Amino acid sequence: MEVIYQYAWLIPVLPLIGATLVGLGLISLNQVTNRLRQLNAALIISLMGAAMGLSFAILWSQLQGHAPYTRTLEWAAAGNFHLSMGYTIDHLTALMLVIVTTVAFLVMVYTDGYMAHDPGYVRFYAYLSLFGSSMLGLVVSPNLVQIYIFWELVGMCSYLLVGFWYDRKSAADAAQKAFVTNRVGDFGLLLGILGLFWATGSFDFQIMGDRLTELVHTGSLSNILAALFAILVFLGPVAKSAQFPLHVWLPDAMEGPTPISALIHAATMVAAGVFLIARMYPVFEHVPAAMNTIAYTGAFTAFLGATIAITQNDIKKGLAYSTISQLGYMVMAMGVGAYSAGLFHLMTHAYFKAMLFLGSGSVIHGMEAVVGHDPDLAQDMRLMGGLRKYMPITAITFFIGCVAISGIPPFAGFWSKDEILSAAFASNPLLWGVGWLTAGITAFYMFRMYFTTFEGNFRGNKTQLWKKLKSPIGMAIVTGFERTPAFGPGAMTKGELEAHTGHHNDHGHSHGHSEYPHESPWTMTLPLVLLAVPSMLIGLVGTPFANYFEEFIYSPNETLEEVLVKAAEFNPQEFYVMAGASVGISLIGITVASLMYLWGKINPVAIAAKIKPLYELSLNKWYFDDIYHQVFVLGLRRLARQVMEVDFRVVDGAVNLTGFFTLVSGEGLKYLENGRAQFYALIVFAAVLGLVIFFGVT
């Protein structure tokens, strides 16, 4: 088994090799490389598969009790300063390696069907492989500096993938928004890293935590400064994991192809933030102000994402806000001290959310046969309905995902979400109340999404409905069982529909050629079926009756003995009460969604009209995008114009004035230059005489 650890560095390197080879081929022999698209895809998928196999071997070894393994080499040294680079394998690393590689592998298989007709097929695979390599490198990093390097690489790859269809303005804008927003968080993270190194003299997670605690206890470092450093570090996960107030980039990231949406939202970029909180837990745990900040940020984000998701009509945007909400759960868990519960939900969420996103991509793929490649139509749930008859595999797997995320036992999401809510209740009943209410809202909007998409009658072949949905002035449409406002796809900026004329044609047609959608090819449905298995069963490893997950993943400052003692104190009665409350609110949410969108017993439009301010608040995403646009985008543009005016009128004016005087004086002096020494002597004499007279008078 030791050999496996010696070659564990291959896990991030193998996908990097694939990305490098294909990238060099695209640069040097572009046409040949693009013609060999299937071969390039097979190469990249095979290398990720090899990394996945090695990851499973390492996880099995860790489960058997192998000690953590670290291998480093000195990268830089200056005096007493030494910086090492390498890789570390422990329980957390082993778990994350398996999550990232399995999801990435299945997404790559899925991509073959989804991107089959896209001219950027090979380039997309190269980006995917580089993205996976960056995330894997982040996971195995043994210190904070190396994490920061791969952290930025992950951000760069997300920029490339979100803006993959860069010829579409909305995609280019979304990529820019994601990049800029993440830079805000990354700057805070960098300041936090530097501050912690200044205080502790180390980049090692455990050493930083121990020394920071010691410095605070001895009075060498104030509590305020320690809290400041910790919160600055937390800003990095706030941006990466789309927490309030830096959550605005994630829904716009849906402009990228659906496979990358699944990868970003499940196992890579957004998971990186939660992973960093887990790695930095030795620092956060002993700073109460930081833990409270993390807990309340997560709780508010969970509620915020859920309340916005209930009004979304774009299937991908709805799932995006769902991701924001679920990430809030994970962050809240970390903040209340439920380390294992947060990572448990990270694992379960990775599988069912990847399945949901890939399922949405399958729906879009099927809808494009009817409406063509127009995102406004192909992704709008109001044009769907009845897809269960035409896409049974997609429908069944999507239903499984909805049940899992709603927290219905025995599906995966129930066990992890219940553990978080129980920990929140023990820590702060207010946080539990927010999480409990959010669970009900989650069940409502997810089944609203399922019923609108897969049940009822198919509405996508009604061309009159297309025109109404595309109309910026249409206020209401009839969709067969509900009457809903026609604001276009959810989460779109007002006025975007008028300007949204050109769309990328990744499936080779601009209009539909079928009356009804069709099931996706096996390369797309197979990953859905495979992801359905862990979505149903993987939660069983973390039941309160036998919590194998917590025995494997626990806080760095805990021991296995302490975990076992805590597990022995399990109270079944308490569990049944808490679980009953969470399942009860979820069932209420599902029931209300059924009455509205399945049986048509309740008119959602009438309810929206009665609570119009709240409805508008949700539809406009709590106006955060509008506020940020006015304050930051337009405000910074005004500031830039003012700075440019100062530069032009003051700085450039001073330079130009100096040049003008130089020119004038030069032109004047040239007439005095006749080459006669007597004349020059006369000028000097006159000048000296003038000075003598001047000072004599004064």
Side-chain angles (χ1 to χ4, degrees), residues 571-629:
N571 186 347
Q573 260 186 333
E574 184 181 329
F575 165 72
Y576 292 133
V577 171
M578 298 301 300
S582 67
V583 173
I585 191 70
S586 295
L587 291 176
I588 291 172
I590 295 171
T591 303
V592 174
S594 302
L595 292 172
M596 285 186 178
Y597 301 102
L598 181 62
W599 300 314
K601 301 295 184 181
I602 301 175
N603 186 355
V605 174
I607 296 176
K610 290 180 180 178
I611 54 170
K612 190 174 180 180
L614 293 176
Y615 176 79
E616 291 286 343
L617 183 69
S618 172
L619 188 68
N620 292 283
K621 301 160 283 180
W622 288 44
Y623 299 99
F624 282 122
D625 279 2
D626 297 332
I627 294 169
Y628 288 2
H629 183 73

Side-chain angles (χ1 to χ4, degrees), residues 73-157:
L73 54 88
E74 191 171 85
W75 187 54
N80 295 325
F81 174 78
H82 297 273
L83 182 60
S84 297
M85 295 291 179
Y87 62 92
T88 186
I89 304 295
D90 57 11
H91 291 186
L92 177 59
T93 301
L95 176 69
M96 290 298 300
L97 287 175
V98 168
I99 293 173
V100 174
T101 53
T102 52
V103 174
F105 177 79
L106 292 173
V107 166
M108 287 178 176
V109 174
Y110 178 95
T111 296
D112 179 66
Y114 190 84
M115 301 288 288
H117 302 289
D118 195 286
Y121 176 94
V122 178
R123 177 167 61 92
F124 189 72
Y125 266 106
Y127 287 171
L128 278 180
S129 192
L130 182 61
F131 195 21
S133 174
S134 301
M135 184 63 194
L136 292 169
L138 188 152
V139 166
V140 302
S141 296
N143 57 60
L144 202 49
V145 173
Q146 190 170 326
I147 276 187
Y148 187 77
I149 294 170
F150 284 104
W151 185 272
E152 294 298 335
L153 284 173
V154 168
M156 180 197 73
C157 293

